[in-house]
Amino acid sequence: MAATAYYLTRLRNLFAVVMLSGVYSLFAAALYMVLDAVDVAFTEAAVGAGISTVLMLGTLSMTTDKEKVRKKPPLTALILVFMTGGVLVYGTFDMPRYGDPNAPIHQHVANRFIERSGEEVGPPNIVTSVLASYRGYDTLGETAVVFTAAVGVLIIIGRSKDRSMPNAKAVRRREEDDDITHEPSAKEKEDASS
Amino acid sequence: MTEKTLLIVVSKILIPLILLFALYVQFHGDFGPGGGFQAGVIFAVAFILYALIFGIRTARKVIPSAVTRTMLALGVLIYGGTGVATMLMGGEYLDYNVLADTVKGGQHIGIFIVEFGVGLTVSSAMITIFYTFSGHVNAELPFRKGDKP
């Protein structure tokens, strides 16, 4: 995992970077499996390794797959990253050992969920009970976040191609873009006018 | 078209299985790992795979973006509507107990509907975002030739 992260920062070919970030997500999913967080691992594999890789490739096809190389390494950013990393590592010193039964997270509401969710909610998968019932508000918020993300994408770049009134700017940019592969105007004009 | 024959055959076998697995994850989330979020993503992946192989135009005919946009809003509406329904039936917002005579029955129905709403929104959000991104690249496949590995 560390090797993947290292090469992610070193590579300049963004296509390889996207592929490697998918690999990284898959490793993360495996790590969650080891930690017995099956639902999280499932989500990480589906979203991190699957969908986001496809979306990143879609973005690459709209832009370019070469990263601009800077002449001077950005020192301020490097210092900031090291400081943040240092603080985070310092924070982990206070964390209880993995699997420690006296850790606060095992003392709070978790016990009640494990003991009572069978009679209070029902489903054998406690994660589902917590997600959809005990924490129903949170999940409603998460769904709203996904909804907002899609609406945001639609507002920013969605007003072209499949609308009755195509976005003139987007069409113009597409015509100027000369290394497009598909056969030219007849189809495009039809699309623009329909 | 001939160089894509293998892809077409394989995807035609895979897509029904992916859809079936998505439905399994959606409705089996009570008993095993999974739920609306994961199922929605897997469901969307089936359509994205279809769009990658058969072209975005064909995919738009299979599931038009008007449908995905409607489903996008409908999912949140189902979730929020469940809360309103429980309020109308005398409980608190998203208190599923009042949906049926027994507590477990009510919770079961509530979780089922809510997870369905989540799955609907997530899958249509993914398809919508993919459509929007690939709609800007004016080629059959969402990758230009120069970007192919």
Side-chain angles (χ1 to χ4, degrees):
Chain A
M1 224 170 144
T4 322
Y6 177 73
Y7 279 108
L8 266 176
T9 58
R10 299 302 299 171
L11 280 173
R12 289 285 170 255
N13 184 348
L14 291 179
F15 183 82
V17 167
V18 168
M19 284 301 155
L20 265 184
S21 64
V23 171
Y24 185 86
S25 283
L26 212 56
F27 275 128
L31 185 68
Y32 293 138
M33 278 299 292
V34 173
L35 294 174
D36 275 344
V38 193
D39 286 79
V40 185
F42 205 160
T43 316
E44 179 68 42
V47 178
I51 286 270
S52 55
T53 310
V54 173
L55 290 182
M56 296 257 224
L57 287 178
T59 318
L60 279 193
S61 64
M62 283 162 67
T63 57
T64 170
D65 64 350
K66 286 278 179 291
E67 190 179 344
K68 275 184 199 153
V69 185
R70 286 204 208 187
K71 295 224 171 67
K72 208 179 74 180
L75 250 184
T76 332
L78 192 72
I79 293 169
L80 264 179
V81 164
F82 267 102
M83 274 170 62
T84 317
V87 168
L88 284 176
V89 170
Y90 176 72
T92 58
F93 292 152
D94 271 353
M95 275 173 73
R97 279 187 57 235
Y98 173 66
D100 184 3
N102 294 319
I105 193 164
H106 300 308
Q107 298 293 320
H108 194 42
V109 287
N111 287 330
R112 191 178 172 285
F113 286 158
I114 292 168
E115 279 160 15
R116 304 274 305 276
S117 81
E119 57 199 74
E120 280 181 347
V121 184
N125 185 2
I126 302 174
V127 176
T128 302
S129 310
V130 173
L131 185 101
S133 188
Y134 289 117
R135 295 280 180 264
Y137 286 174
D138 295 350
T139 312
L140 177 60
E142 282 168 35
T143 316
V145 165
V146 174
F147 173 74
T148 317
V151 169
V153 168
L154 277 178
I155 289 172
I156 294 170
I157 60 172
R159 296 180 59 83
S160 66
K161 190 84 170 134
D162 56 337
R163 305 285 299 212
S164 52
M165 293 286 286
N167 189 339
K169 214 169 157 190
V171 170
R172 209 184 311 134
R173 202 185 56 212
R174 248 184 270 136
E175 280 165 1
E176 281 165 9
D177 202 348
D178 46 358
D179 59 343
I180 280 171
T181 50
H182 91 124
E183 60 280 63
S185 48
K187 241 178 187 175
E188 196 162 82
K189 273 177 190 161
E190 195 184 294
D191 264 75
S193 61
S194 66
Chain B
M1 207 62 187
T2 44
E3 78 269 28
K4 289 205 296 184
T5 313
L6 195 63
L7 286 177
I8 288 172
V9 169
V10 171
S11 67
K12 273 186 177 169
I13 299 170
L14 272 181
I15 286 173
L17 288 178
I18 294 174
L19 289 175
L20 195 66
F21 183 60
L23 292 176
Y24 166 77
V25 171
Q26 169 84 49
F27 297 121
H28 203 257
D30 293 7
F31 303 97
F37 283 98
Q38 294 92 333
V41 172
I42 296 170
F43 202 77
V45 161
F47 287 101
I48 289 175
L49 178 65
Y50 186 84
L52 285 174
I53 307 265
F54 292 90
I56 195 78
R57 271 168 223 209
T58 332
R60 275 184 203 279
K61 278 177 201 150
V62 175
I63 180 160
S65 37
V67 173
T68 59
R69 284 171 199 188
T70 316
M71 272 161 48
L72 182 68
L74 201 66
V76 184
L77 199 67
I78 288 174
Y79 202 133
T82 314
V84 176
T86 53
M87 276 171 84
L88 289 178
M89 289 167 81
E92 290 166 350
Y93 191 70
L94 289 176
D95 176 16
Y96 311 131
N97 289 352
V98 293
L99 287 174
D101 296 334
T102 60
V103 169
K104 274 191 181 178
Q107 292 283 345
H108 184 73
I109 296 173
I111 291 176
F112 187 85
I113 298 173
V114 157
E115 291 273 18
F116 180 70
V118 172
L120 208 60
T121 293
V122 170
S123 63
S124 47
M126 295 302 161
I127 299 173
T128 306
I129 293 174
F130 178 75
Y131 274 1
T132 324
F133 271 61
S134 52
H136 274 256
V137 184
N138 219 343
E140 269 285 289
L141 283 169
F143 308 112
R144 291 178 306 198
K145 236 174 203 160
D147 290 335
K148 273 186 189 168

